[in-house]
PDB file of all heavy atoms in Angstrom:
ATOM      1  N   TYR J  51      87.477 111.504 118.057  1.00  0.00           N
ATOM      2  CA  TYR J  51      88.746 111.575 118.787  1.00  0.00           C
ATOM      3  C   TYR J  51      88.536 112.093 120.213  1.00  0.00           C
ATOM      4  O   TYR J  51      89.105 111.577 121.158  1.00  0.00           O
ATOM      5  CB  TYR J  51      89.756 112.447 118.042  1.00  0.00           C
ATOM      6  CG  TYR J  51      91.079 112.524 118.729  1.00  0.00           C
ATOM      7  CD1 TYR J  51      91.963 111.451 118.685  1.00  0.00           C
ATOM      8  CD2 TYR J  51      91.449 113.651 119.455  1.00  0.00           C
ATOM      9  CE1 TYR J  51      93.179 111.497 119.346  1.00  0.00           C
ATOM     10  CE2 TYR J  51      92.665 113.711 120.106  1.00  0.00           C
ATOM     11  CZ  TYR J  51      93.527 112.639 120.044  1.00  0.00           C
ATOM     12  OH  TYR J  51      94.731 112.691 120.704  1.00  0.00           O
ATOM     13  N   LYS J  52      87.699 113.103 120.379  1.00  0.00           N
ATOM     14  CA  LYS J  52      87.456 113.663 121.715  1.00  0.00           C
ATOM     15  C   LYS J  52      86.762 112.655 122.631  1.00  0.00           C
ATOM     16  O   LYS J  52      86.924 112.713 123.844  1.00  0.00           O
ATOM     17  CB  LYS J  52      86.660 114.953 121.602  1.00  0.00           C
ATOM     18  CG  LYS J  52      87.425 116.059 120.924  1.00  0.00           C
ATOM     19  CD  LYS J  52      87.333 117.328 121.682  1.00  0.00           C
ATOM     20  CE  LYS J  52      88.039 118.438 120.955  1.00  0.00           C
ATOM     21  NZ  LYS J  52      89.336 118.721 121.483  1.00  0.00           N
ATOM     22  N   LYS J  53      85.993 111.720 122.069  1.00  0.00           N
ATOM     23  CA  LYS J  53      85.336 110.683 122.867  1.00  0.00           C
ATOM     24  C   LYS J  53      86.298 109.565 123.257  1.00  0.00           C
ATOM     25  O   LYS J  53      86.013 108.803 124.168  1.00  0.00           O
ATOM     26  CB  LYS J  53      84.157 110.083 122.098  1.00  0.00           C
ATOM     27  CG  LYS J  53      82.991 111.013 121.952  1.00  0.00           C
ATOM     28  CD  LYS J  53      81.882 110.335 121.183  1.00  0.00           C
ATOM     29  CE  LYS J  53      80.741 111.282 120.906  1.00  0.00           C
ATOM     30  NZ  LYS J  53      79.694 110.653 120.095  1.00  0.00           N
ATOM     31  N   ASN J  54      87.430 109.464 122.568  1.00  0.00           N
ATOM     32  CA  ASN J  54      88.422 108.430 122.842  1.00  0.00           C
ATOM     33  C   ASN J  54      89.024 108.686 124.218  1.00  0.00           C
ATOM     34  O   ASN J  54      89.592 109.752 124.464  1.00  0.00           O
ATOM     35  CB  ASN J  54      89.507 108.468 121.759  1.00  0.00           C
ATOM     36  CG  ASN J  54      90.504 107.355 121.871  1.00  0.00           C
ATOM     37  OD1 ASN J  54      90.946 107.008 122.960  1.00  0.00           O
ATOM     38  ND2 ASN J  54      90.891 106.811 120.748  1.00  0.00           N
ATOM     39  N   GLN J  55      88.911 107.730 125.119  1.00  0.00           N
ATOM     40  CA  GLN J  55      89.353 107.924 126.504  1.00  0.00           C
ATOM     41  C   GLN J  55      90.843 108.199 126.623  1.00  0.00           C
ATOM     42  O   GLN J  55      91.271 108.962 127.482  1.00  0.00           O
ATOM     43  CB  GLN J  55      88.995 106.705 127.345  1.00  0.00           C
ATOM     44  CG  GLN J  55      87.514 106.542 127.531  1.00  0.00           C
ATOM     45  CD  GLN J  55      87.172 105.296 128.335  1.00  0.00           C
ATOM     46  OE1 GLN J  55      88.034 104.565 128.777  1.00  0.00           O
ATOM     47  NE2 GLN J  55      85.895 105.066 128.529  1.00  0.00           N
ATOM     48  N   THR J  56      91.664 107.590 125.787  1.00  0.00           N
ATOM     49  CA  THR J  56      93.113 107.744 125.932  1.00  0.00           C
ATOM     50  C   THR J  56      93.672 108.925 125.151  1.00  0.00           C
ATOM     51  O   THR J  56      94.713 109.449 125.510  1.00  0.00           O
ATOM     52  CB  THR J  56      93.850 106.462 125.487  1.00  0.00           C
ATOM     53  OG1 THR J  56      93.534 106.187 124.127  1.00  0.00           O
ATOM     54  CG2 THR J  56      93.454 105.281 126.364  1.00  0.00           C
ATOM     55  N   GLN J  57      93.028 109.334 124.077  1.00  0.00           N
ATOM     56  CA  GLN J  57      93.453 110.428 123.203  1.00  0.00           C
ATOM     57  C   GLN J  57      94.962 110.414 122.915  1.00  0.00           C
ATOM     58  O   GLN J  57      95.667 111.382 123.174  1.00  0.00           O
ATOM     59  CB  GLN J  57      93.013 111.777 123.765  1.00  0.00           C
ATOM     60  CG  GLN J  57      91.525 111.923 123.759  1.00  0.00           C
ATOM     61  CD  GLN J  57      91.036 113.305 124.119  1.00  0.00           C
ATOM     62  OE1 GLN J  57      91.781 114.138 124.605  1.00  0.00           O
ATOM     63  NE2 GLN J  57      89.787 113.543 123.868  1.00  0.00           N
ATOM     64  N   PRO J  58      95.456 109.320 122.327  1.00  0.00           N
ATOM     65  CA  PRO J  58      96.867 109.281 121.946  1.00  0.00           C
ATOM     66  C   PRO J  58      97.150 110.264 120.817  1.00  0.00           C
ATOM     67  O   PRO J  58      96.231 110.745 120.156  1.00  0.00           O
ATOM     68  CB  PRO J  58      97.085 107.843 121.494  1.00  0.00           C
ATOM     69  CG  PRO J  58      95.738 107.333 121.171  1.00  0.00           C
ATOM     70  CD  PRO J  58      94.750 108.113 121.978  1.00  0.00           C
ATOM     71  N   ASP J  59      98.404 110.550 120.607  1.00  0.00           N
ATOM     72  CA  ASP J  59      98.830 111.469 119.557  1.00  0.00           C
ATOM     73  C   ASP J  59      98.205 111.057 118.224  1.00  0.00           C
ATOM     74  O   ASP J  59      98.262 109.895 117.843  1.00  0.00           O
ATOM     75  CB  ASP J  59     100.358 111.445 119.465  1.00  0.00           C
ATOM     76  CG  ASP J  59     100.909 112.427 118.449  1.00  0.00           C
ATOM     77  OD1 ASP J  59     100.150 113.274 117.926  1.00  0.00           O
ATOM     78  OD2 ASP J  59     102.118 112.347 118.175  1.00  0.00           O
ATOM     79  N   GLN J  60      97.631 112.015 117.533  1.00  0.00           N
ATOM     80  CA  GLN J  60      96.992 111.731 116.251  1.00  0.00           C
ATOM     81  C   GLN J  60      98.023 111.536 115.135  1.00  0.00           C
ATOM     82  O   GLN J  60      97.723 110.920 114.125  1.00  0.00           O
ATOM     83  CB  GLN J  60      96.039 112.863 115.870  1.00  0.00           C
ATOM     84  CG  GLN J  60      94.828 112.928 116.783  1.00  0.00           C
ATOM     85  CD  GLN J  60      93.938 114.092 116.449  1.00  0.00           C
ATOM     86  OE1 GLN J  60      94.369 115.241 116.431  1.00  0.00           O
ATOM     87  NE2 GLN J  60      92.681 113.812 116.167  1.00  0.00           N
ATOM     88  N   ASN J  61      99.231 112.064 115.305  1.00  0.00           N
ATOM     89  CA  ASN J  61     100.259 112.014 114.277  1.00  0.00           C
ATOM     90  C   ASN J  61     101.189 110.823 114.450  1.00  0.00           C
ATOM     91  O   ASN J  61     102.390 110.964 114.655  1.00  0.00           O
ATOM     92  CB  ASN J  61     101.056 113.324 114.258  1.00  0.00           C
ATOM     93  CG  ASN J  61     100.199 114.479 113.825  1.00  0.00           C
ATOM     94  OD1 ASN J  61      99.489 114.382 112.833  1.00  0.00           O
ATOM     95  ND2 ASN J  61     100.227 115.551 114.579  1.00  0.00           N
ATOM     96  N   GLN J  62     100.607 109.647 114.378  1.00  0.00           N
ATOM     97  CA  GLN J  62     101.326 108.380 114.420  1.00  0.00           C
ATOM     98  C   GLN J  62     100.464 107.387 113.650  1.00  0.00           C
ATOM     99  O   GLN J  62      99.296 107.659 113.394  1.00  0.00           O
ATOM    100  CB  GLN J  62     101.529 107.905 115.857  1.00  0.00           C
ATOM    101  CG  GLN J  62     100.233 107.602 116.596  1.00  0.00           C
ATOM    102  CD  GLN J  62     100.469 107.116 118.003  1.00  0.00           C
ATOM    103  OE1 GLN J  62     101.269 106.228 118.227  1.00  0.00           O
ATOM    104  NE2 GLN J  62      99.770 107.728 118.961  1.00  0.00           N
ATOM    105  N   PRO J  63     100.995 106.260 113.267  1.00  0.00           N
ATOM    106  CA  PRO J  63     100.148 105.280 112.577  1.00  0.00           C
ATOM    107  C   PRO J  63      98.976 104.832 113.461  1.00  0.00           C
ATOM    108  O   PRO J  63      99.135 104.650 114.670  1.00  0.00           O
ATOM    109  CB  PRO J  63     101.104 104.119 112.300  1.00  0.00           C
ATOM    110  CG  PRO J  63     102.452 104.748 112.260  1.00  0.00           C
ATOM    111  CD  PRO J  63     102.402 105.842 113.296  1.00  0.00           C
ATOM    112  N   TRP J  64      97.812 104.673 112.847  1.00  0.00           N
ATOM    113  CA  TRP J  64      96.613 104.165 113.493  1.00  0.00           C
ATOM    114  C   TRP J  64      96.155 102.941 112.712  1.00  0.00           C
ATOM    115  O   TRP J  64      96.341 102.874 111.498  1.00  0.00           O
ATOM    116  CB  TRP J  64      95.500 105.222 113.498  1.00  0.00           C
ATOM    117  CG  TRP J  64      95.705 106.270 114.553  1.00  0.00           C
ATOM    118  CD1 TRP J  64      96.702 107.194 114.608  1.00  0.00           C
ATOM    119  CD2 TRP J  64      94.891 106.488 115.697  1.00  0.00           C
ATOM    120  NE1 TRP J  64      96.558 107.981 115.717  1.00  0.00           N
ATOM    121  CE2 TRP J  64      95.455 107.574 116.402  1.00  0.00           C
ATOM    122  CE3 TRP J  64      93.742 105.878 116.191  1.00  0.00           C
ATOM    123  CZ2 TRP J  64      94.906 108.052 117.585  1.00  0.00           C
ATOM    124  CZ3 TRP J  64      93.191 106.362 117.373  1.00  0.00           C
ATOM    125  CH2 TRP J  64      93.774 107.438 118.052  1.00  0.00           C
ATOM    126  N   TYR J  65      95.553 101.983 113.405  1.00  0.00           N
ATOM    127  CA  TYR J  65      95.233 100.690 112.809  1.00  0.00           C
ATOM    128  C   TYR J  65      93.768 100.317 112.968  1.00  0.00           C
ATOM    129  O   TYR J  65      93.176 100.534 114.018  1.00  0.00           O
ATOM    130  CB  TYR J  65      96.090  99.599 113.467  1.00  0.00           C
ATOM    131  CG  TYR J  65      97.555  99.847 113.284  1.00  0.00           C
ATOM    132  CD1 TYR J  65      98.276 100.574 114.225  1.00  0.00           C
ATOM    133  CD2 TYR J  65      98.219  99.384 112.155  1.00  0.00           C
ATOM    134  CE1 TYR J  65      99.622 100.823 114.048  1.00  0.00           C
ATOM    135  CE2 TYR J  65      99.568  99.624 111.973  1.00  0.00           C
ATOM    136  CZ  TYR J  65     100.270 100.348 112.920  1.00  0.00           C
ATOM    137  OH  TYR J  65     101.597 100.603 112.736  1.00  0.00           O
ATOM    138  N   HIS J  66      93.228  99.700 111.915  1.00  0.00           N
ATOM    139  CA  HIS J  66      91.888  99.118 111.940  1.00  0.00           C
ATOM    140  C   HIS J  66      92.077  97.667 112.388  1.00  0.00           C
ATOM    141  O   HIS J  66      92.822  96.916 111.752  1.00  0.00           O
ATOM    142  CB  HIS J  66      91.259  99.177 110.552  1.00  0.00           C
ATOM    143  CG  HIS J  66      91.143 100.578 110.027  1.00  0.00           C
ATOM    144  ND1 HIS J  66      90.064 101.388 110.312  1.00  0.00           N
ATOM    145  CD2 HIS J  66      91.981 101.309 109.260  1.00  0.00           C
ATOM    146  CE1 HIS J  66      90.240 102.558 109.727  1.00  0.00           C
ATOM    147  NE2 HIS J  66      91.397 102.536 109.084  1.00  0.00           N
ATOM    148  N   VAL J  67      91.421  97.302 113.484  1.00  0.00           N
ATOM    149  CA  VAL J  67      91.663  96.011 114.135  1.00  0.00           C
ATOM    150  C   VAL J  67      90.350  95.248 114.330  1.00  0.00           C
ATOM    151  O   VAL J  67      89.365  95.820 114.813  1.00  0.00           O
ATOM    152  CB  VAL J  67      92.322  96.233 115.524  1.00  0.00           C
ATOM    153  CG1 VAL J  67      92.545  94.913 116.240  1.00  0.00           C
ATOM    154  CG2 VAL J  67      93.618  97.026 115.398  1.00  0.00           C
ATOM    155  N   LEU J  68      90.353  93.967 113.962  1.00  0.00           N
ATOM    156  CA  LEU J  68      89.241  93.078 114.292  1.00  0.00           C
ATOM    157  C   LEU J  68      89.553  92.485 115.658  1.00  0.00           C
ATOM    158  O   LEU J  68      90.612  91.874 115.847  1.00  0.00           O
ATOM    159  CB  LEU J  68      89.115  91.951 113.266  1.00  0.00           C
ATOM    160  CG  LEU J  68      88.910  92.348 111.808  1.00  0.00           C
ATOM    161  CD1 LEU J  68      88.777  91.096 110.938  1.00  0.00           C
ATOM    162  CD2 LEU J  68      87.720  93.262 111.637  1.00  0.00           C
ATOM    163  N   VAL J  69      88.650  92.649 116.611  1.00  0.00           N
ATOM    164  CA  VAL J  69      88.874  92.228 117.993  1.00  0.00           C
ATOM    165  C   VAL J  69      88.465  90.772 118.189  1.00  0.00           C
ATOM    166  O   VAL J  69      87.361  90.365 117.822  1.00  0.00           O
ATOM    167  CB  VAL J  69      88.106  93.137 118.973  1.00  0.00           C
ATOM    168  CG1 VAL J  69      88.302  92.680 120.410  1.00  0.00           C
ATOM    169  CG2 VAL J  69      88.570  94.588 118.809  1.00  0.00           C
ATOM    170  N   ASP J  70      89.372  90.009 118.793  1.00  0.00           N
ATOM    171  CA  ASP J  70      89.175  88.589 119.050  1.00  0.00           C
ATOM    172  C   ASP J  70      87.956  88.335 119.934  1.00  0.00           C
ATOM    173  O   ASP J  70      87.679  89.078 120.872  1.00  0.00           O
ATOM    174  CB  ASP J  70      90.430  88.038 119.745  1.00  0.00           C
ATOM    175  CG  ASP J  70      90.418  86.531 119.907  1.00  0.00           C
ATOM    176  OD1 ASP J  70      89.751  85.835 119.125  1.00  0.00           O
ATOM    177  OD2 ASP J  70      91.115  86.052 120.825  1.00  0.00           O
ATOM    178  N   GLN J  71      87.229  87.261 119.620  1.00  0.00           N
ATOM    179  CA  GLN J  71      86.073  86.786 120.377  1.00  0.00           C
ATOM    180  C   GLN J  71      84.981  87.841 120.539  1.00  0.00           C
ATOM    181  O   GLN J  71      84.358  87.964 121.602  1.00  0.00           O
ATOM    182  CB  GLN J  71      86.513  86.241 121.737  1.00  0.00           C
ATOM    183  CG  GLN J  71      87.440  85.068 121.600  1.00  0.00           C
ATOM    184  CD  GLN J  71      87.871  84.497 122.939  1.00  0.00           C
ATOM    185  OE1 GLN J  71      87.502  84.984 123.996  1.00  0.00           O
ATOM    186  NE2 GLN J  71      88.645  83.435 122.890  1.00  0.00           N
ATOM    187  N   SER J  72      84.786  88.637 119.472  1.00  0.00           N
ATOM    188  CA  SER J  72      83.729  89.642 119.475  1.00  0.00           C
ATOM    189  C   SER J  72      83.360  89.969 118.035  1.00  0.00           C
ATOM    190  O   SER J  72      83.933  89.407 117.104  1.00  0.00           O
ATOM    191  CB  SER J  72      84.202  90.916 120.192  1.00  0.00           C
ATOM    192  OG  SER J  72      85.049  91.673 119.357  1.00  0.00           O
ATOM    193  N   THR J  73      82.438  90.888 117.882  1.00  0.00           N
ATOM    194  CA  THR J  73      82.113  91.409 116.564  1.00  0.00           C
ATOM    195  C   THR J  73      82.682  92.812 116.395  1.00  0.00           C
ATOM    196  O   THR J  73      82.432  93.470 115.388  1.00  0.00           O
ATOM    197  CB  THR J  73      80.584  91.448 116.340  1.00  0.00           C
ATOM    198  OG1 THR J  73      80.000  92.268 117.359  1.00  0.00           O
ATOM    199  CG2 THR J  73      79.980  90.054 116.377  1.00  0.00           C
ATOM    200  N   ALA J  74      83.431  93.277 117.387  1.00  0.00           N
ATOM    201  CA  ALA J  74      83.952  94.647 117.399  1.00  0.00           C
ATOM    202  C   ALA J  74      85.132  94.842 116.453  1.00  0.00           C
ATOM    203  O   ALA J  74      85.948  93.949 116.244  1.00  0.00           O
ATOM    204  CB  ALA J  74      84.379  95.022 118.819  1.00  0.00           C
ATOM    205  N   CYS J  75      85.194  96.042 115.904  1.00  0.00           N
ATOM    206  CA  CYS J  75      86.331  96.513 115.133  1.00  0.00           C
ATOM    207  C   CYS J  75      86.786  97.794 115.825  1.00  0.00           C
ATOM    208  O   CYS J  75      85.955  98.640 116.162  1.00  0.00           O
ATOM    209  CB  CYS J  75      85.928  96.839 113.705  1.00  0.00           C
ATOM    210  SG  CYS J  75      85.202  95.456 112.823  1.00  0.00           S
ATOM    211  N   THR J  76      88.076  97.927 116.069  1.00  0.00           N
ATOM    212  CA  THR J  76      88.574  99.127 116.737  1.00  0.00           C
ATOM    213  C   THR J  76      89.520  99.887 115.831  1.00  0.00           C
ATOM    214  O   THR J  76      89.991  99.377 114.816  1.00  0.00           O
ATOM    215  CB  THR J  76      89.307  98.789 118.051  1.00  0.00           C
ATOM    216  OG1 THR J  76      90.470  98.020 117.749  1.00  0.00           O
ATOM    217  CG2 THR J  76      88.414  98.056 119.015  1.00  0.00           C
ATOM    218  N   TYR J  77      89.803 101.113 116.237  1.00  0.00           N
ATOM    219  CA  TYR J  77      90.751 101.980 115.554  1.00  0.00           C
ATOM    220  C   TYR J  77      91.729 102.399 116.637  1.00  0.00           C
ATOM    221  O   TYR J  77      91.377 103.131 117.554  1.00  0.00           O
ATOM    222  CB  TYR J  77      89.989 103.175 114.979  1.00  0.00           C
ATOM    223  CG  TYR J  77      90.759 104.032 114.012  1.00  0.00           C
ATOM    224  CD1 TYR J  77      91.476 103.466 112.947  1.00  0.00           C
ATOM    225  CD2 TYR J  77      90.746 105.411 114.128  1.00  0.00           C
ATOM    226  CE1 TYR J  77      92.152 104.262 112.043  1.00  0.00           C
ATOM    227  CE2 TYR J  77      91.406 106.212 113.221  1.00  0.00           C
ATOM    228  CZ  TYR J  77      92.111 105.639 112.177  1.00  0.00           C
ATOM    229  OH  TYR J  77      92.783 106.432 111.278  1.00  0.00           O
ATOM    230  N   ALA J  78      92.951 101.893 116.568  1.00  0.00           N
ATOM    231  CA  ALA J  78      93.896 102.057 117.666  1.00  0.00           C
ATOM    232  C   ALA J  78      95.205 102.688 117.205  1.00  0.00           C
ATOM    233  O   ALA J  78      95.700 102.398 116.110  1.00  0.00           O
ATOM    234  CB  ALA J  78      94.177 100.699 118.302  1.00  0.00           C
ATOM    235  N   ALA J  79      95.769 103.517 118.081  1.00  0.00           N
ATOM    236  CA  ALA J  79      97.056 104.156 117.814  1.00  0.00           C
ATOM    237  C   ALA J  79      98.193 103.168 118.009  1.00  0.00           C
ATOM    238  O   ALA J  79      98.129 102.282 118.863  1.00  0.00           O
ATOM    239  CB  ALA J  79      97.241 105.349 118.750  1.00  0.00           C
ATOM    240  N   SER J  80      99.234 103.348 117.247  1.00  0.00           N
ATOM    241  CA  SER J  80     100.404 102.470 117.295  1.00  0.00           C
ATOM    242  C   SER J  80     100.950 102.316 118.709  1.00  0.00           C
ATOM    243  O   SER J  80     101.296 101.217 119.130  1.00  0.00           O
ATOM    244  CB  SER J  80     101.492 103.032 116.370  1.00  0.00           C
ATOM    245  OG  SER J  80     102.586 102.174 116.310  1.00  0.00           O
ATOM    246  N   GLN J  81     101.025 103.423 119.453  1.00  0.00           N
ATOM    247  CA  GLN J  81     101.617 103.386 120.792  1.00  0.00           C
ATOM    248  C   GLN J  81     100.851 102.485 121.751  1.00  0.00           C
ATOM    249  O   GLN J  81     101.396 102.065 122.773  1.00  0.00           O
ATOM    250  CB  GLN J  81     101.724 104.786 121.380  1.00  0.00           C
ATOM    251  CG  GLN J  81     100.384 105.372 121.814  1.00  0.00           C
ATOM    252  CD  GLN J  81     100.493 106.799 122.291  1.00  0.00           C
ATOM    253  OE1 GLN J  81     101.077 107.642 121.620  1.00  0.00           O
ATOM    254  NE2 GLN J  81      99.928 107.073 123.446  1.00  0.00           N
ATOM    255  N   ASN J  82      99.602 102.159 121.434  1.00  0.00           N
ATOM    256  CA  ASN J  82      98.777 101.342 122.322  1.00  0.00           C
ATOM    257  C   ASN J  82      98.804  99.859 121.978  1.00  0.00           C
ATOM    258  O   ASN J  82      98.128  99.066 122.636  1.00  0.00           O
ATOM    259  CB  ASN J  82      97.331 101.837 122.303  1.00  0.00           C
ATOM    260  CG  ASN J  82      97.194 103.184 122.971  1.00  0.00           C
ATOM    261  OD1 ASN J  82      97.970 103.539 123.838  1.00  0.00           O
ATOM    262  ND2 ASN J  82      96.213 103.949 122.545  1.00  0.00           N
ATOM    263  N   LEU J  83      99.564  99.483 120.959  1.00  0.00           N
ATOM    264  CA  LEU J  83      99.566  98.095 120.512  1.00  0.00           C
ATOM    265  C   LEU J  83     100.939  97.452 120.649  1.00  0.00           C
ATOM    266  O   LEU J  83     101.963  98.127 120.533  1.00  0.00           O
ATOM    267  CB  LEU J  83      99.138  98.024 119.042  1.00  0.00           C
ATOM    268  CG  LEU J  83      97.782  98.627 118.699  1.00  0.00           C
ATOM    269  CD1 LEU J  83      97.535  98.553 117.199  1.00  0.00           C
ATOM    270  CD2 LEU J  83      96.668  97.955 119.472  1.00  0.00           C
ATOM    271  N   VAL J  84     100.932  96.148 120.891  1.00  0.00           N
ATOM    272  CA  VAL J  84     102.156  95.340 120.890  1.00  0.00           C
ATOM    273  C   VAL J  84     101.862  94.068 120.101  1.00  0.00           C
ATOM    274  O   VAL J  84     100.715  93.623 120.028  1.00  0.00           O
ATOM    275  CB  VAL J  84     102.657  94.975 122.314  1.00  0.00           C
ATOM    276  CG1 VAL J  84     103.101  96.206 123.072  1.00  0.00           C
ATOM    277  CG2 VAL J  84     101.607  94.217 123.089  1.00  0.00           C
ATOM    278  N   ALA J  85     102.896  93.493 119.535  1.00  0.00           N
ATOM    279  CA  ALA J  85     102.731  92.231 118.807  1.00  0.00           C
ATOM    280  C   ALA J  85     102.334  91.141 119.794  1.00  0.00           C
ATOM    281  O   ALA J  85     102.818  91.099 120.924  1.00  0.00           O
ATOM    282  CB  ALA J  85     104.030  91.871 118.104  1.00  0.00           C
ATOM    283  N   ASP J  86     101.439  90.274 119.359  1.00  0.00           N
ATOM    284  CA  ASP J  86     101.028  89.132 120.180  1.00  0.00           C
ATOM    285  C   ASP J  86     101.856  87.926 119.739  1.00  0.00           C
ATOM    286  O   ASP J  86     101.699  87.454 118.613  1.00  0.00           O
ATOM    287  CB  ASP J  86      99.543  88.850 119.989  1.00  0.00           C
ATOM    288  CG  ASP J  86      99.077  87.687 120.825  1.00  0.00           C
ATOM    289  OD1 ASP J  86      99.195  86.533 120.359  1.00  0.00           O
ATOM    290  OD2 ASP J  86      98.606  87.919 121.951  1.00  0.00           O
ATOM    291  N   PRO J  87     102.728  87.428 120.616  1.00  0.00           N
ATOM    292  CA  PRO J  87     103.626  86.342 120.228  1.00  0.00           C
ATOM    293  C   PRO J  87     103.018  84.941 120.340  1.00  0.00           C
ATOM    294  O   PRO J  87     103.686  83.945 120.052  1.00  0.00           O
ATOM    295  CB  PRO J  87     104.779  86.496 121.215  1.00  0.00           C
ATOM    296  CG  PRO J  87     104.123  87.012 122.453  1.00  0.00           C
ATOM    297  CD  PRO J  87     103.014  87.922 121.966  1.00  0.00           C
ATOM    298  N   SER J  88     101.747  84.830 120.724  1.00  0.00           N
ATOM    299  CA  SER J  88     101.161  83.518 120.995  1.00  0.00           C
ATOM    300  C   SER J  88     101.082  82.617 119.765  1.00  0.00           C
ATOM    301  O   SER J  88     101.094  81.396 119.895  1.00  0.00           O
ATOM    302  CB  SER J  88      99.768  83.676 121.609  1.00  0.00           C
ATOM    303  OG  SER J  88      98.841  84.126 120.637  1.00  0.00           O
ATOM    304  N   GLY J  89     100.939  83.214 118.581  1.00  0.00           N
ATOM    305  CA  GLY J  89     100.810  82.413 117.367  1.00  0.00           C
ATOM    306  C   GLY J  89      99.455  81.763 117.194  1.00  0.00           C
ATOM    307  O   GLY J  89      99.257  80.954 116.294  1.00  0.00           O
ATOM    308  N   THR J  90      98.509  82.111 118.065  1.00  0.00           N
ATOM    309  CA  THR J  90      97.180  81.511 117.985  1.00  0.00           C
ATOM    310  C   THR J  90      96.227  82.405 117.204  1.00  0.00           C
ATOM    311  O   THR J  90      96.314  83.632 117.270  1.00  0.00           O
ATOM    312  CB  THR J  90      96.601  81.237 119.388  1.00  0.00           C
ATOM    313  OG1 THR J  90      96.539  82.466 120.110  1.00  0.00           O
ATOM    314  CG2 THR J  90      97.468  80.258 120.148  1.00  0.00           C
ATOM    315  N   PRO J  91      95.302  81.801 116.462  1.00  0.00           N
ATOM    316  CA  PRO J  91      94.358  82.585 115.671  1.00  0.00           C
ATOM    317  C   PRO J  91      93.355  83.326 116.552  1.00  0.00           C
ATOM    318  O   PRO J  91      93.223  83.036 117.732  1.00  0.00           O
ATOM    319  CB  PRO J  91      93.657  81.546 114.799  1.00  0.00           C
ATOM    320  CG  PRO J  91      93.890  80.244 115.450  1.00  0.00           C
ATOM    321  CD  PRO J  91      95.128  80.370 116.283  1.00  0.00           C
ATOM    322  N   ILE J  92      92.666  84.270 115.941  1.00  0.00           N
ATOM    323  CA  ILE J  92      91.595  84.979 116.640  1.00  0.00           C
ATOM    324  C   ILE J  92      90.257  84.508 116.071  1.00  0.00           C
ATOM    325  O   ILE J  92      90.211  83.844 115.036  1.00  0.00           O
ATOM    326  CB  ILE J  92      91.732  86.513 116.543  1.00  0.00           C
ATOM    327  CG1 ILE J  92      91.498  86.998 115.119  1.00  0.00           C
ATOM    328  CG2 ILE J  92      93.071  86.986 117.067  1.00  0.00           C
ATOM    329  CD1 ILE J  92      91.163  88.457 115.056  1.00  0.00           C
TER     330      ILE J  92
END
């Protein structure tokens, strides 16, 4: 958490995310995410 550049509030939902066009998986706070309306696959 201390290495996380943004350090969002820990007391909110956090998500495990597969990142498009990469092999990366991230762990992101709810406040940093928005729904993607494109309807296109990753």
Side-chain angles (χ1 to χ4, degrees):
Y51 181 75
K52 294 228 183 259
K53 289 180 185 177
N54 186 318
Q55 292 178 1
T56 59
Q57 294 188 347
D59 183 10
Q60 292 177 304
N61 294 312
Q62 63 179 311
W64 282 66
Y65 300 91
H66 301 274
V67 178
L68 302 181
V69 178
D70 187 26
Q71 298 181 359
S72 77
T73 58
C75 302
T76 64
Y77 192 49
S80 184
Q81 73 185 50
N82 291 333
L83 303 177
V84 294
D86 180 274
S88 72
T90 59
I92 68 161

